[in-house]
Amino acid sequence: MTDFNLDAFLPYQLAVLSARVSAGFSRHYRKAYGISVAEWRVVAHLSRGDAVSVREIHERVDMDKPKVSRAASRLEEAGYITKTVNETDRRLVELKLTDKGRAMIDALAPIAKAYEQELVGALGGDDGPFRDQVRRLGEALKPRQTD
Amino acid sequence: MTDFNLDAFLPYQLAVLSARVSAGFSRHYRKAYGISVAEWRVVAHLSRGDAVSVREIHERVDMDKPKVSRAASRLEEAGYITKTVNETDRRLVELKLTDKGRAMIDALAPIAKAYEQELVGALGGDDGPFRDQVRRLGEALKPRQTD
DNA sequence: GCAAGAGCGTTGCACCTGCAACGGTCGAAC
DNA sequence: GTTCGACCGTTGCAGGTGCAACGCTCTTGC
């Protein structure tokens, strides 16, 4: 009889860890700004400053197009970003932070850094090897087959 | 002006990694058995053999009660488990694998082990330190505060 | 025995997500 | 200039999720 120990199963451990980490951080912006994880990702990506298309975010952040599109719509409705049609290519929609959105990211960025430092502390202070392995695993799984 | 680099943000990296790892594994059972991640977790937890209540799974696996309840209902409908009321405490529902469910976990367990070995390989062969840190981080975030 | 409170699992509801399909726009070939 | 194909973003739809509230059952105290 198979006795499978879920607790020791790496995919499960990672899922639980990731959910806790995300929940721990999202509590910092969920209440204060009313945005979700998906919306946070879009805003964070826009913090670089230049206008970005939906497709670009879809490729850089790992979210599918509809998810980005809806997150952007919610952010626009909340006044954090603007959506304007690119006049040289009217298929593209340019997303851009408003002043309100900029203020939000300015407030959240240090909180994010601090939260990350908490995590690093929990790791024992040296996060280098851990991050390397996270990145290595992510790379190994990036494409799409194995089936 | 804040320039937040999402790619280097640990919570983001973990979320992406976890999603990829889960997707990579779920492809092994999604098509073959038509079950979701939540259902997989319930079945895996039931593989120990004894009947288990919804509440016990809710506590052990990190899923809230409604999620466990619905996953169990789907599994029952698919014929993988049975749900019976505990006669000594009629508030409790005992979940138990059917022969069909047992056959599924017997088939999936080696696949899960093999998949895990793939991940270990991608880590460079020595997964000990990585698992330690995953566990340590998970422990640090287990309770409920930071606010 | 009975009432109040706590525990367990389910259900309602609003929201989000994944996938496929769609309309609008651009570029290439003729 | 037209037509065909590709691309971009949005929308429909079915299904899953989180949270709160509910019904049923057990326990506790009287």
Side-chain angles (χ1 to χ4, degrees), chain A residues 6 13 78 83 145:
Chain A
L6 194 60
Q13 294 171 326
K83 288 165 57 179
Q145 57 208 40

PDB file of all heavy atoms in Angstrom, chain A residues 6 13 78 83 145:
ATOM      1  N   LEU A   6       2.860  13.747   1.947  1.00  0.00           N
ATOM      2  CA  LEU A   6       2.730  15.023   1.258  1.00  0.00           C
ATOM      3  C   LEU A   6       3.645  16.091   1.855  1.00  0.00           C
ATOM      4  O   LEU A   6       4.200  16.927   1.135  1.00  0.00           O
ATOM      5  CB  LEU A   6       1.270  15.482   1.315  1.00  0.00           C
ATOM      6  CG  LEU A   6       0.843  16.612   0.399  1.00  0.00           C
ATOM      7  CD1 LEU A   6       1.065  16.231  -1.054  1.00  0.00           C
ATOM      8  CD2 LEU A   6      -0.608  16.974   0.625  1.00  0.00           C
ATOM      9  N   GLN A  13       5.594  21.644  -0.609  1.00  0.00           N
ATOM     10  CA  GLN A  13       6.274  22.583   0.289  1.00  0.00           C
ATOM     11  C   GLN A  13       6.417  23.952  -0.364  1.00  0.00           C
ATOM     12  O   GLN A  13       6.219  24.989   0.282  1.00  0.00           O
ATOM     13  CB  GLN A  13       7.655  22.032   0.647  1.00  0.00           C
ATOM     14  CG  GLN A  13       7.615  20.765   1.480  1.00  0.00           C
ATOM     15  CD  GLN A  13       8.990  20.141   1.634  1.00  0.00           C
ATOM     16  OE1 GLN A  13       9.817  20.203   0.726  1.00  0.00           O
ATOM     17  NE2 GLN A  13       9.230  19.519   2.782  1.00  0.00           N
ATOM     18  N   ALA A  78      -9.461  52.349 -10.382  1.00  0.00           N
ATOM     19  CA  ALA A  78      -9.077  52.834  -9.052  1.00  0.00           C
ATOM     20  C   ALA A  78      -8.215  54.091  -9.141  1.00  0.00           C
ATOM     21  O   ALA A  78      -7.868  54.682  -8.118  1.00  0.00           O
ATOM     22  CB  ALA A  78      -8.333  51.736  -8.287  1.00  0.00           C
ATOM     23  N   LYS A  83      -4.798  54.135 -19.221  1.00  0.00           N
ATOM     24  CA  LYS A  83      -4.679  53.287 -20.401  1.00  0.00           C
ATOM     25  C   LYS A  83      -4.934  54.166 -21.615  1.00  0.00           C
ATOM     26  O   LYS A  83      -6.022  54.729 -21.757  1.00  0.00           O
ATOM     27  CB  LYS A  83      -5.711  52.156 -20.357  1.00  0.00           C
ATOM     28  CG  LYS A  83      -5.407  51.085 -19.344  1.00  0.00           C
ATOM     29  CD  LYS A  83      -6.620  50.190 -19.064  1.00  0.00           C
ATOM     30  CE  LYS A  83      -7.152  49.542 -20.326  1.00  0.00           C
ATOM     31  NZ  LYS A  83      -8.306  48.667 -20.006  1.00  0.00           N
ATOM     32  N   GLN A 145       7.173  21.280 -21.766  1.00  0.00           N
ATOM     33  CA  GLN A 145       6.936  19.985 -22.403  1.00  0.00           C
ATOM     34  C   GLN A 145       6.938  18.888 -21.353  1.00  0.00           C
ATOM     35  O   GLN A 145       6.024  18.814 -20.543  1.00  0.00           O
ATOM     36  CB  GLN A 145       7.970  19.694 -23.482  1.00  0.00           C
ATOM     37  CG  GLN A 145       9.397  19.720 -23.004  1.00  0.00           C
ATOM     38  CD  GLN A 145      10.299  20.103 -24.154  1.00  0.00           C
ATOM     39  OE1 GLN A 145       9.972  20.971 -24.951  1.00  0.00           O
ATOM     40  NE2 GLN A 145      11.442  19.481 -24.241  1.00  0.00           N
TER      41      GLN A 145
END
